[in-house]
């Protein structure tokens, strides 16, 4: 397990490794307690967990937000500014926004139904008045996606807008 942990650390964060070791520990406990597999102890419980980095606390100032919105509005990607505003209003992740289709929006109930989420579970997100107005103002794309951008094109335009706005140490996930 130590060798596994050290090899994984080359590719993933300490948080990911700690979750994986916890999963391994749970499987070993299940095997010992419920499946009758004869193991003297749970070796994963003996493994020291890695120190995890502190959560990010980066927030934009009002001045930075205005500059970012101006930079996004100047982008060749007409969907960039609305996408960032929706993320700001709802907290929806980038991948979820890029896969969100118009038929997953209930305008009457002011809800977005997300089926393609990070953890694989569907979830429903309330939409503010501003979010509804933005969504209604978007042009309808052929594939019904609200934001017909690929992840790589989004990254390109996002980085370009941040540079234009002179914003450092800010990630889309911080929205």
């Amino acid at each position: 397990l130590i060798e596994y942990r050290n090899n994984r650390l080359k590719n993933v964060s300490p948080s990911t490794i700690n979750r994986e070791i916890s999963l391994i520990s749970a499987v070993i406990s299940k095997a010992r307690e419920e499946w009758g597999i004869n193991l003297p102890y749970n070796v994963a419980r003996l493994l020291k967990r890695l120190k995890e980095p502190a959560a990010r606390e980066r927030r934009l100032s009002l001045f930075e937000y205005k500059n970012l919105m101006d930079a996004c509005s100047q982008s060749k990607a007409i969907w960039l500014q609305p996408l960032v505003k929706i993320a700001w209003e709802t907290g929806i992740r980038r991948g979820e926004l890029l896969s969100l289709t118009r038929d997953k929006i209930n305008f009457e109930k002011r809800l977005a139904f997300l089926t393609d989420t990070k953890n694989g579970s569907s979830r429903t997100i309330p939409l503010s008045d501003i979010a509804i107005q933005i969504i209604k103002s978007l042009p309808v794309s052929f594939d019904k996606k609200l934001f017909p951008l690929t992840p790589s094109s989004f990254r390109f335009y996002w980085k370009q807008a941040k540079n234009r706005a002179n914003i450092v140490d800010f990630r889309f996930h911080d929205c």
Side-chain angles (χ1 to χ4, degrees), residues 17-28:
I17 292 169
N18 287 342
R19 283 192 300 276
E20 290 175 355
I21 297 298
S22 293
L23 175 63
I24 292 168
S25 178
V27 169
I28 292 171

mmCIF file with all atom_site columns, all heavy atoms in Angstrom, residues 17-28:
data_model
loop_
_atom_site.group_PDB
_atom_site.id
_atom_site.type_symbol
_atom_site.label_atom_id
_atom_site.label_alt_id
_atom_site.label_comp_id
_atom_site.label_asym_id
_atom_site.label_entity_id
_atom_site.label_seq_id
_atom_site.pdbx_PDB_ins_code
_atom_site.Cartn_x
_atom_site.Cartn_y
_atom_site.Cartn_z
_atom_site.occupancy
_atom_site.B_iso_or_equiv
_atom_site.pdbx_formal_charge
_atom_site.auth_seq_id
_atom_site.auth_comp_id
_atom_site.auth_asym_id
_atom_site.auth_atom_id
_atom_site.pdbx_PDB_model_num
ATOM 1  N N   . ILE A 1 17 ? -5.639  10.364 -3.067 1.00 0.00 ? 17 ILE A N   1
ATOM 2  C CA  . ILE A 1 17 ? -5.003  9.177  -2.493 1.00 0.00 ? 17 ILE A CA  1
ATOM 3  C C   . ILE A 1 17 ? -5.662  8.807  -1.162 1.00 0.00 ? 17 ILE A C   1
ATOM 4  O O   . ILE A 1 17 ? -5.946  7.633  -0.914 1.00 0.00 ? 17 ILE A O   1
ATOM 5  C CB  . ILE A 1 17 ? -3.489  9.412  -2.309 1.00 0.00 ? 17 ILE A CB  1
ATOM 6  C CG1 . ILE A 1 17 ? -2.824  9.520  -3.689 1.00 0.00 ? 17 ILE A CG1 1
ATOM 7  C CG2 . ILE A 1 17 ? -2.852  8.285  -1.492 1.00 0.00 ? 17 ILE A CG2 1
ATOM 8  C CD1 . ILE A 1 17 ? -1.403  10.008 -3.659 1.00 0.00 ? 17 ILE A CD1 1
ATOM 9  N N   . ASN A 1 18 ? -5.921  9.793  -0.320 1.00 0.00 ? 18 ASN A N   1
ATOM 10 C CA  . ASN A 1 18 ? -6.582  9.505  0.959  1.00 0.00 ? 18 ASN A CA  1
ATOM 11 C C   . ASN A 1 18 ? -7.943  8.867  0.753  1.00 0.00 ? 18 ASN A C   1
ATOM 12 O O   . ASN A 1 18 ? -8.318  7.934  1.476  1.00 0.00 ? 18 ASN A O   1
ATOM 13 C CB  . ASN A 1 18 ? -6.706  10.783 1.793  1.00 0.00 ? 18 ASN A CB  1
ATOM 14 C CG  . ASN A 1 18 ? -5.375  11.223 2.374  1.00 0.00 ? 18 ASN A CG  1
ATOM 15 O OD1 . ASN A 1 18 ? -4.424  10.448 2.454  1.00 0.00 ? 18 ASN A OD1 1
ATOM 16 N ND2 . ASN A 1 18 ? -5.305  12.474 2.782  1.00 0.00 ? 18 ASN A ND2 1
ATOM 17 N N   . ARG A 1 19 ? -8.706  9.350  -0.231 1.00 0.00 ? 19 ARG A N   1
ATOM 18 C CA  . ARG A 1 19 ? -10.015 8.744  -0.512 1.00 0.00 ? 19 ARG A CA  1
ATOM 19 C C   . ARG A 1 19 ? -9.848  7.307  -1.011 1.00 0.00 ? 19 ARG A C   1
ATOM 20 O O   . ARG A 1 19 ? -10.629 6.425  -0.645 1.00 0.00 ? 19 ARG A O   1
ATOM 21 C CB  . ARG A 1 19 ? -10.784 9.591  -1.520 1.00 0.00 ? 19 ARG A CB  1
ATOM 22 C CG  . ARG A 1 19 ? -11.401 10.840 -0.910 1.00 0.00 ? 19 ARG A CG  1
ATOM 23 C CD  . ARG A 1 19 ? -12.390 11.517 -1.840 1.00 0.00 ? 19 ARG A CD  1
ATOM 24 N NE  . ARG A 1 19 ? -11.812 11.939 -3.098 1.00 0.00 ? 19 ARG A NE  1
ATOM 25 C CZ  . ARG A 1 19 ? -11.154 13.095 -3.304 1.00 0.00 ? 19 ARG A CZ  1
ATOM 26 N NH1 . ARG A 1 19 ? -10.998 13.929 -2.303 1.00 0.00 ? 19 ARG A NH1 1
ATOM 27 N NH2 . ARG A 1 19 ? -10.674 13.394 -4.489 1.00 0.00 ? 19 ARG A NH2 1
ATOM 28 N N   . GLU A 1 20 ? -8.851  7.079  -1.857 1.00 0.00 ? 20 GLU A N   1
ATOM 29 C CA  . GLU A 1 20 ? -8.622  5.723  -2.369 1.00 0.00 ? 20 GLU A CA  1
ATOM 30 C C   . GLU A 1 20 ? -8.218  4.763  -1.245 1.00 0.00 ? 20 GLU A C   1
ATOM 31 O O   . GLU A 1 20 ? -8.701  3.632  -1.195 1.00 0.00 ? 20 GLU A O   1
ATOM 32 C CB  . GLU A 1 20 ? -7.555  5.750  -3.466 1.00 0.00 ? 20 GLU A CB  1
ATOM 33 C CG  . GLU A 1 20 ? -8.029  6.410  -4.743 1.00 0.00 ? 20 GLU A CG  1
ATOM 34 C CD  . GLU A 1 20 ? -6.949  6.553  -5.805 1.00 0.00 ? 20 GLU A CD  1
ATOM 35 O OE1 . GLU A 1 20 ? -5.764  6.222  -5.530 1.00 0.00 ? 20 GLU A OE1 1
ATOM 36 O OE2 . GLU A 1 20 ? -7.277  6.994  -6.924 1.00 0.00 ? 20 GLU A OE2 1
ATOM 37 N N   . ILE A 1 21 ? -7.348  5.215  -0.353 1.00 0.00 ? 21 ILE A N   1
ATOM 38 C CA  . ILE A 1 21 ? -6.930  4.368  0.767  1.00 0.00 ? 21 ILE A CA  1
ATOM 39 C C   . ILE A 1 21 ? -8.125  4.083  1.681  1.00 0.00 ? 21 ILE A C   1
ATOM 40 O O   . ILE A 1 21 ? -8.284  2.966  2.180  1.00 0.00 ? 21 ILE A O   1
ATOM 41 C CB  . ILE A 1 21 ? -5.768  5.016  1.560  1.00 0.00 ? 21 ILE A CB  1
ATOM 42 C CG1 . ILE A 1 21 ? -4.513  5.170  0.672  1.00 0.00 ? 21 ILE A CG1 1
ATOM 43 C CG2 . ILE A 1 21 ? -5.445  4.213  2.817  1.00 0.00 ? 21 ILE A CG2 1
ATOM 44 C CD1 . ILE A 1 21 ? -3.921  3.883  0.142  1.00 0.00 ? 21 ILE A CD1 1
ATOM 45 N N   . SER A 1 22 ? -8.984  5.072  1.871  1.00 0.00 ? 22 SER A N   1
ATOM 46 C CA  . SER A 1 22 ? -10.195 4.849  2.671  1.00 0.00 ? 22 SER A CA  1
ATOM 47 C C   . SER A 1 22 ? -11.099 3.811  2.021  1.00 0.00 ? 22 SER A C   1
ATOM 48 O O   . SER A 1 22 ? -11.707 2.975  2.712  1.00 0.00 ? 22 SER A O   1
ATOM 49 C CB  . SER A 1 22 ? -10.958 6.164  2.865  1.00 0.00 ? 22 SER A CB  1
ATOM 50 O OG  . SER A 1 22 ? -10.216 7.041  3.671  1.00 0.00 ? 22 SER A OG  1
ATOM 51 N N   . LEU A 1 23 ? -11.223 3.858  0.704  1.00 0.00 ? 23 LEU A N   1
ATOM 52 C CA  . LEU A 1 23 ? -12.019 2.870  -0.011 1.00 0.00 ? 23 LEU A CA  1
ATOM 53 C C   . LEU A 1 23 ? -11.417 1.477  0.158  1.00 0.00 ? 23 LEU A C   1
ATOM 54 O O   . LEU A 1 23 ? -12.138 0.502  0.438  1.00 0.00 ? 23 LEU A O   1
ATOM 55 C CB  . LEU A 1 23 ? -12.122 3.227  -1.496 1.00 0.00 ? 23 LEU A CB  1
ATOM 56 C CG  . LEU A 1 23 ? -12.828 2.210  -2.386 1.00 0.00 ? 23 LEU A CG  1
ATOM 57 C CD1 . LEU A 1 23 ? -14.288 2.057  -1.964 1.00 0.00 ? 23 LEU A CD1 1
ATOM 58 C CD2 . LEU A 1 23 ? -12.740 2.623  -3.840 1.00 0.00 ? 23 LEU A CD2 1
ATOM 59 N N   . ILE A 1 24 ? -10.112 1.374  -0.002 1.00 0.00 ? 24 ILE A N   1
ATOM 60 C CA  . ILE A 1 24 ? -9.436  0.081  0.179  1.00 0.00 ? 24 ILE A CA  1
ATOM 61 C C   . ILE A 1 24 ? -9.676  -0.431 1.599  1.00 0.00 ? 24 ILE A C   1
ATOM 62 O O   . ILE A 1 24 ? -9.973  -1.610 1.807  1.00 0.00 ? 24 ILE A O   1
ATOM 63 C CB  . ILE A 1 24 ? -7.929  0.207  -0.137 1.00 0.00 ? 24 ILE A CB  1
ATOM 64 C CG1 . ILE A 1 24 ? -7.731  0.464  -1.633 1.00 0.00 ? 24 ILE A CG1 1
ATOM 65 C CG2 . ILE A 1 24 ? -7.171  -1.041 0.311  1.00 0.00 ? 24 ILE A CG2 1
ATOM 66 C CD1 . ILE A 1 24 ? -6.321  0.900  -2.014 1.00 0.00 ? 24 ILE A CD1 1
ATOM 67 N N   . SER A 1 25 ? -9.589  0.453  2.580  1.00 0.00 ? 25 SER A N   1
ATOM 68 C CA  . SER A 1 25 ? -9.821  0.078  3.971  1.00 0.00 ? 25 SER A CA  1
ATOM 69 C C   . SER A 1 25 ? -11.247 -0.437 4.163  1.00 0.00 ? 25 SER A C   1
ATOM 70 O O   . SER A 1 25 ? -11.473 -1.437 4.865  1.00 0.00 ? 25 SER A O   1
ATOM 71 C CB  . SER A 1 25 ? -9.560  1.274  4.887  1.00 0.00 ? 25 SER A CB  1
ATOM 72 O OG  . SER A 1 25 ? -9.827  0.940  6.225  1.00 0.00 ? 25 SER A OG  1
ATOM 73 N N   . ALA A 1 26 ? -12.211 0.232  3.555  1.00 0.00 ? 26 ALA A N   1
ATOM 74 C CA  . ALA A 1 26 ? -13.609 -0.195 3.677  1.00 0.00 ? 26 ALA A CA  1
ATOM 75 C C   . ALA A 1 26 ? -13.823 -1.576 3.062  1.00 0.00 ? 26 ALA A C   1
ATOM 76 O O   . ALA A 1 26 ? -14.543 -2.416 3.621  1.00 0.00 ? 26 ALA A O   1
ATOM 77 C CB  . ALA A 1 26 ? -14.527 0.831  3.015  1.00 0.00 ? 26 ALA A CB  1
ATOM 78 N N   . VAL A 1 27 ? -13.173 -1.833 1.938  1.00 0.00 ? 27 VAL A N   1
ATOM 79 C CA  . VAL A 1 27 ? -13.298 -3.145 1.286  1.00 0.00 ? 27 VAL A CA  1
ATOM 80 C C   . VAL A 1 27 ? -12.678 -4.228 2.168  1.00 0.00 ? 27 VAL A C   1
ATOM 81 O O   . VAL A 1 27 ? -13.258 -5.310 2.347  1.00 0.00 ? 27 VAL A O   1
ATOM 82 C CB  . VAL A 1 27 ? -12.646 -3.124 -0.121 1.00 0.00 ? 27 VAL A CB  1
ATOM 83 C CG1 . VAL A 1 27 ? -12.534 -4.521 -0.693 1.00 0.00 ? 27 VAL A CG1 1
ATOM 84 C CG2 . VAL A 1 27 ? -13.431 -2.221 -1.051 1.00 0.00 ? 27 VAL A CG2 1
ATOM 85 N N   . ILE A 1 28 ? -11.527 -3.936 2.734  1.00 0.00 ? 28 ILE A N   1
ATOM 86 C CA  . ILE A 1 28 ? -10.884 -4.917 3.615  1.00 0.00 ? 28 ILE A CA  1
ATOM 87 C C   . ILE A 1 28 ? -11.761 -5.185 4.844  1.00 0.00 ? 28 ILE A C   1
ATOM 88 O O   . ILE A 1 28 ? -11.943 -6.348 5.247  1.00 0.00 ? 28 ILE A O   1
ATOM 89 C CB  . ILE A 1 28 ? -9.465  -4.447 4.024  1.00 0.00 ? 28 ILE A CB  1
ATOM 90 C CG1 . ILE A 1 28 ? -8.539  -4.465 2.804  1.00 0.00 ? 28 ILE A CG1 1
ATOM 91 C CG2 . ILE A 1 28 ? -8.899  -5.323 5.139  1.00 0.00 ? 28 ILE A CG2 1
ATOM 92 C CD1 . ILE A 1 28 ? -7.177  -3.823 3.043  1.00 0.00 ? 28 ILE A CD1 1
#
